[in-house]
Amino acid sequence: MITDGHAYAYRAFYAIRSLRSPEGRPTNAIYGFVKMLTKLRAAVEPSHGMVVWDGGLSAERVVRWPEYKAQRPAMPDDLKSQLDEIVQYLEAAGVASFCREGVEADDYIACLARRAVEAGMTVVIASSDKDFMQLVSPRVGLLNPNDKSETIWTDGQVRAKAGVGPSQIVDWLSLTGDPVDNIPGVPGVGPKTAAELLNQFGSVSALYGRLEEVKSERLRAALREAAGAVRRNQALVRLRDDLPCAFSPEAMAGKPADAARLRELYRRWGFKGMLAALEGSSPERQTVLI
């Protein structure tokens, strides 16, 4: 299981709006993250796992589109102050985590997923980011926290959501754009129209090769005008699974939890329930209380 760290930290921060340590420091993101990760691990029961964090924007994408993710507000200070402590929790819990400057989490997750599949493993990616739909395959599933059914998405769920298969997601997003990443699409082309075009033509390349077959004159004109932007979008949206990544099943297998360190952290944060659960667990159970 590969977990999108920042996505879950943000989710936890906004899900629990007021929680502070005995010293008055914010702990809402820490508490929510721990609870969410515990629930994820209980549901998936992974043999290996890693939490991957964003190391900044991809320089290559910014060169292609200077406005890439430029609209995003700065991380709230109260969340930023909790990230290091979440990493401290992961270290104490024996959960591997990774962050590299200049590497977006999405790309590294794609790289890890490819390497894990090549090693014969089955992968679950935990994230609400729709970009990961492009990675779904018979060996890669997606656990979307926005899906209350807690189903691990396969080809069927991707098609139900987007109207196209995983192999067409890059082209689908290239046509629709992605407001979350500040990537503009073809004017007038929403998810439904993009899916209809791709189901008719198969790909963006085939669409532009047979553009005169598009019945709507308005749509043809919009597609023709946005051709360069669509090609650019393909490069922005496609996840880089060819980055150098130190894939180590041994490191991702996790380590026994450091119960003493967890006690120290829980006391500092004022997490009485977690502390009580840890104190009442057996040494064997402590290795999985994460």
Side-chain angles (χ1 to χ4, degrees):
M1 182 175 74
I2 310 172
T3 304
D4 184 348
H6 274 92
Y8 274 87
Y10 266 97
R11 188 176 185 86
F13 180 76
Y14 287 110
I16 304 171
R17 297 310 298 262
S18 180
L19 191 65
R20 293 186 176 271
S21 72
E23 297 178 344
R25 296 176 180 175
T27 57
N28 55 328
I30 303 168
Y31 183 84
F33 189 95
V34 173
K35 298 292 281 188
M36 288 177 184
L37 186 60
T38 301
K39 184 177 180 181
L40 280 173
R41 293 178 66 84
V44 178
E45 297 184 337
S47 60
H48 299 72
M50 176 172 281
V51 177
V52 179
W53 302 92
D54 264 323
L57 297 182
S58 161
E60 181 180 328
R61 290 190 177 96
V62 173
V63 168
R64 289 181 180 275
W65 179 238
E67 300 303 311
Y68 176 65
K69 295 186 179 181
Q71 91 292 2
R72 292 191 179 185
M75 180 182 294
D77 289 339
D78 278 358
L79 173 55
K80 187 183 299 184
S81 68
Q82 297 180 68
L83 293 184
D84 285 346
E85 294 192 275
I86 291 175
V87 173
Q88 289 179 38
Y89 161 77
L90 294 172
E91 292 171 351
V95 179
S97 66
F98 174 89
C99 183
R100 179 185 294 166
E101 185 175 354
V103 175
E104 295 191 51
D106 295 7
D107 291 326
Y108 202 80
I109 289 172
C111 179
L112 284 178
R114 179 180 65 81
R115 295 287 298 276
V117 168
E118 290 172 350
M121 304 171 79
T122 299
V123 178
V124 173
I125 297 170
S127 178
S128 59
D129 192 332
K130 57 183 172 292
D131 288 349
F132 288 121
M133 291 193 292
Q134 66 187 269
L135 302 181
V136 169
S137 73
R139 300 289 291 278
V140 179
L142 182 60
L143 189 55
N144 185 340
N146 292 330
D147 180 0
K148 301 306 180 183
S149 73
E150 299 183 353
T151 300
I152 295 176
W153 286 22
T154 60
D155 181 275
Q157 285 77 23
V158 172
R159 290 182 182 276
K161 176 66 174 179
V164 297
S167 65
Q168 296 171 300
I169 289 295
V170 170
D171 284 353
W172 181 71
L173 288 171
S174 298
L175 291 169
T176 65
D178 187 353
V180 174
D181 291 345
N182 205 34
I183 300 174
V186 179
V189 175
K192 184 177 179 180
T193 299
E196 290 173 350
L197 289 169
L198 292 173
N199 284 320
Q200 178 181 353
F201 295 98
S203 68
V204 159
S205 178
L207 167 63
Y208 276 98
R210 298 158 52 196
L211 196 57
E212 294 308 314
E213 295 179 32
V214 175
K215 294 180 181 180
S216 166
E217 182 178 346
R218 179 198 60 78
L219 182 55
R220 279 200 314 274
L223 288 166
R224 187 177 294 112
E225 181 69 21
V230 171
R231 299 297 187 189
R232 175 204 65 207
N233 290 353
Q234 288 178 304
L236 294 175
V237 169
R238 184 175 290 107
L239 298 182
R240 292 283 309 275
D241 67 356
D242 57 347
L243 298 176
C245 63
F247 176 72
S248 169
E250 293 77 16
M252 296 178 71
K255 302 175 182 178
D258 183 339
R261 178 61 173 151
L262 286 175
R263 287 190 194 96
E264 177 189 340
L265 292 173
Y266 291 164
R267 288 193 184 101
R268 182 205 302 169
W269 298 328
F271 294 171
K272 296 179 181 179
M274 293 183 189
L275 181 59
L278 182 63
E279 296 286 6
S281 66
S282 67
E284 291 78 13
R285 179 63 176 161
Q286 287 172 5
T287 63
V288 293
L289 272 177
I290 50 177

